[in-house]
């Protein structure tokens, strides 16, 4: 802490030009006696600081000397404040940026200040749902990673019952708006989505870190394994042209669009975790998509069709024979609006 305080004292001197021991003590939240000792320590370490007695006195840097503790270039300063200077930054980060701003050379400060105001992060989508929510245990897991201690982790998959296990937290990763914990387990490296963590209790045991562990390389391996599972099956189909935008939104990079057919449709190929999941996804487009293969995809669609007919067929039959056909809406004054 002493080294950090001396750096903070030097930056305060640099920013103010002249300070009293009382002003430095208030800034660093220390006693005046400690502030004087810190200023004397700067002199002893070779920093050109001198004390001026009398009215208007205080502590100054000799000849207005300045020190650049950052070594940052203008583009680096802007990139740093753009990345971390948003209104969504934590109080600790905003405090760190204010301190860093004092260390930035005077000509670069306007660039840094402009960059800190140039971007904000809104973590809600258009339905006002948080898309970057990390869960209530983010801070505890981050602390465990930094302190290098094992954690008793409660975790529940969607629709599942929470289970607790002891893991070795090795790093945190932000991917597509979601935070993940990379941790060592008895079954090897695993990733845990923080939004599904139900508890995180640090232990007194040190983390068991693999030799030469590299978080970037470990994450790439985990991503590759997950992608292999997510893309384990493919389905081929023929799609109407007006269905392509919907398919692209639904499947993203898992959709491959092939050649144009004589009837105006397109050949497509969709990848997913299983044939059944893909068939269910494509079923929502109705007759606009005709699944060609594999056979089990067509069989699954036929079963879905029979289940839907059993569920809704009787309703449709009753509506067809009623005074008010299915697919129309009657207002109080008997005007009809088509909502099909």
């Amino acid at each position: 802490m002493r080294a950090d305080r001396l750096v903070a004292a030097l930056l305060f001197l640099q920013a103010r030009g002249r300070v009293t021991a009382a002003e430095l003590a208030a800034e660093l939240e220390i006693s005046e006696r400690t502030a004087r000792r810190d200023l004397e320590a700067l002199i002893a370490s070779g920093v050109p600081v001198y004390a001026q007695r009398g009215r208007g006195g205080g502590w100054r840097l000799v000849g207005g000397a300045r020190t650049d503790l950052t070594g940052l270039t203008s583009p680096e300063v802007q990139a740093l404040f753009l990345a971390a200077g948003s209104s969504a930054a934590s109080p600790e980060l905003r405090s760190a940026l204010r301190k860093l701003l004092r260390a930035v050379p005077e000509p670069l400060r306007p660039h840094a200040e402009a960059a800190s105001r140039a971007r904000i992060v809104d973590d809600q989508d258009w339905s006002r749902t948080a898309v970057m929510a990390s869960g209530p245990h983010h801070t505890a897991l981050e602390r465990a990673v930094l302190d290098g201690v094992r954690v008793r982790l409660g975790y529940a998959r969607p629709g599942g019952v929470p289970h607790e296990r002891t893991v070795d937290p090795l790093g945190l990763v932000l991917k597509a708006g979601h935070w993940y914990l990379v941790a060592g387990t008895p079954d090897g490296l695993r990733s845990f989505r923080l939004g599904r963590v139900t508890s995180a209790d640090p232990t007194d045991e040190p983390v068991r870190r693999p030799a030469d562990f590299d978080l970037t390389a470990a994450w790439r391996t985990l991503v590759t394994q997950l992608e292999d599972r997510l893309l384990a099956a493919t389905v081929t189909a023929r799609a109407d042209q007006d269905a392509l935008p919907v398919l692209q939104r639904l499947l993203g990079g898992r959709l491959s669009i092939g050649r144009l057919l004589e009837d105006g449709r397109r050949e497509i190929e969709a990848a997913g975790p299983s044939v059944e999941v893909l068939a269910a996804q494509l079923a929502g487009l109705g007759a606009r998509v005709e699944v060609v293969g594999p056979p089990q995809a067509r069989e699954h669609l036929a079963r879905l069709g029979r289940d839907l007919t059993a569920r809704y067929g009787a309703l449709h039959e009753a509506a067809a024979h009623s005074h008010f056909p299915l697919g129309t809406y009657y207002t109080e004054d008997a005007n009809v609006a088509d909502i099909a």
Side-chain angles (χ1 to χ4, degrees):
M1 290 301 294
R2 177 74 183 280
D4 291 345
R5 207 170 62 233
L6 291 179
V7 171
L10 179 55
L11 294 178
F12 189 57
L13 264 174
Q14 178 174 292
R16 296 286 294 272
R18 180 193 66 82
V19 301
T20 65
E23 290 171 340
L24 181 60
E27 172 69 11
L28 302 184
E29 299 180 348
I30 56 178
S31 68
E32 287 191 39
R33 183 177 180 181
T34 300
R36 290 192 185 92
R37 283 205 304 265
D38 286 348
L39 290 164
E40 291 167 356
L42 288 175
I43 296 173
S45 63
V47 177
V49 177
Y50 74 99
Q52 183 177 353
R53 307 292 180 183
R55 186 182 180 87
W59 299 78
R60 299 176 182 270
L61 285 169
V62 173
R66 303 189 64 78
T67 180
D68 176 11
L69 298 180
T70 66
L72 297 172
T73 65
S74 180
E76 289 170 342
V77 167
Q78 287 184 317
L80 177 61
F81 278 80
L82 269 175
S86 75
S87 61
S90 66
E92 294 82 4
L93 182 53
R94 289 197 296 270
S95 174
L97 289 174
R98 285 195 298 270
K99 293 176 182 177
L100 179 59
L101 187 61
R102 296 173 187 165
V104 171
E106 190 70 38
L108 302 186
R109 289 187 187 178
H111 301 286
E113 291 174 337
S116 70
R117 299 190 299 266
R119 186 170 68 180
I120 65 172
V121 176
D122 186 346
D123 63 358
Q124 292 186 342
D125 63 17
W126 294 110
S127 64
R128 298 187 179 181
T129 300
V131 294
M132 293 188 65
S134 57
H137 305 291
H138 186 132
T139 301
L141 290 171
E142 188 174 65
R143 190 75 260 163
V145 171
L146 295 175
D147 292 344
V149 295
R150 307 185 83 196
V151 168
R152 286 188 297 274
L153 190 75
Y155 193 75
R157 298 189 182 278
V161 178
H163 293 281
E164 189 175 273
R165 71 191 80 184
T166 299
V167 302
D168 296 290
L170 302 172
L172 295 169
V173 177
L174 177 63
K175 180 178 176 62
H178 296 286
W179 281 97
Y180 295 84
L181 171 71
V182 175
T185 74
D187 299 320
L189 284 179
R190 293 290 185 271
S191 63
F192 301 90
R193 185 160 157 174
L194 263 61
R196 298 172 184 165
V197 172
T198 58
S199 63
D201 300 311
T203 70
D204 295 328
E205 304 174 60
V207 161
R208 300 171 183 173
R209 181 177 294 270
D212 302 322
F213 175 78
D214 180 83
L215 180 59
T216 300
W219 179 250
R220 287 174 181 164
T221 299
L222 290 170
V223 167
T224 299
Q225 293 172 353
L226 180 58
E227 287 176 344
D228 287 343
R229 294 196 297 272
L230 290 177
L231 306 177
T234 58
V235 165
T236 57
R238 301 182 183 119
D240 293 351
Q241 292 285 354
D242 63 354
L244 295 180
V246 180
L247 288 166
Q248 289 171 327
R249 289 194 297 271
L250 176 67
L251 299 170
R254 296 186 289 124
L255 174 69
S256 298
I257 301 176
R259 65 188 180 93
L260 180 65
L261 301 173
E262 292 182 358
D263 59 6
R265 294 184 296 175
R266 284 274 189 180
E267 286 185 342
I268 65 166
E269 182 175 277
S274 70
V275 167
E276 290 75 18
V277 168
L278 285 167
Q281 288 179 316
L282 296 177
L285 283 88
R288 289 190 292 170
V289 174
E290 178 192 357
V291 171
V292 177
Q296 55 265 42
R298 294 172 63 88
E299 293 167 4
H300 188 67
L301 283 169
R303 285 195 298 272
L304 287 175
R306 289 193 294 270
D307 291 344
L308 291 172
T309 299
R311 172 73 66 178
Y312 301 108
L315 174 63
H316 187 276
E317 184 70 20
H321 291 86
S322 71
H323 183 63
F324 301 117
L326 188 69
T328 60
Y329 170 76
Y330 290 82
T331 63
E332 290 181 352
D333 60 358
N335 292 325
V336 180
D338 186 6
I339 62 168

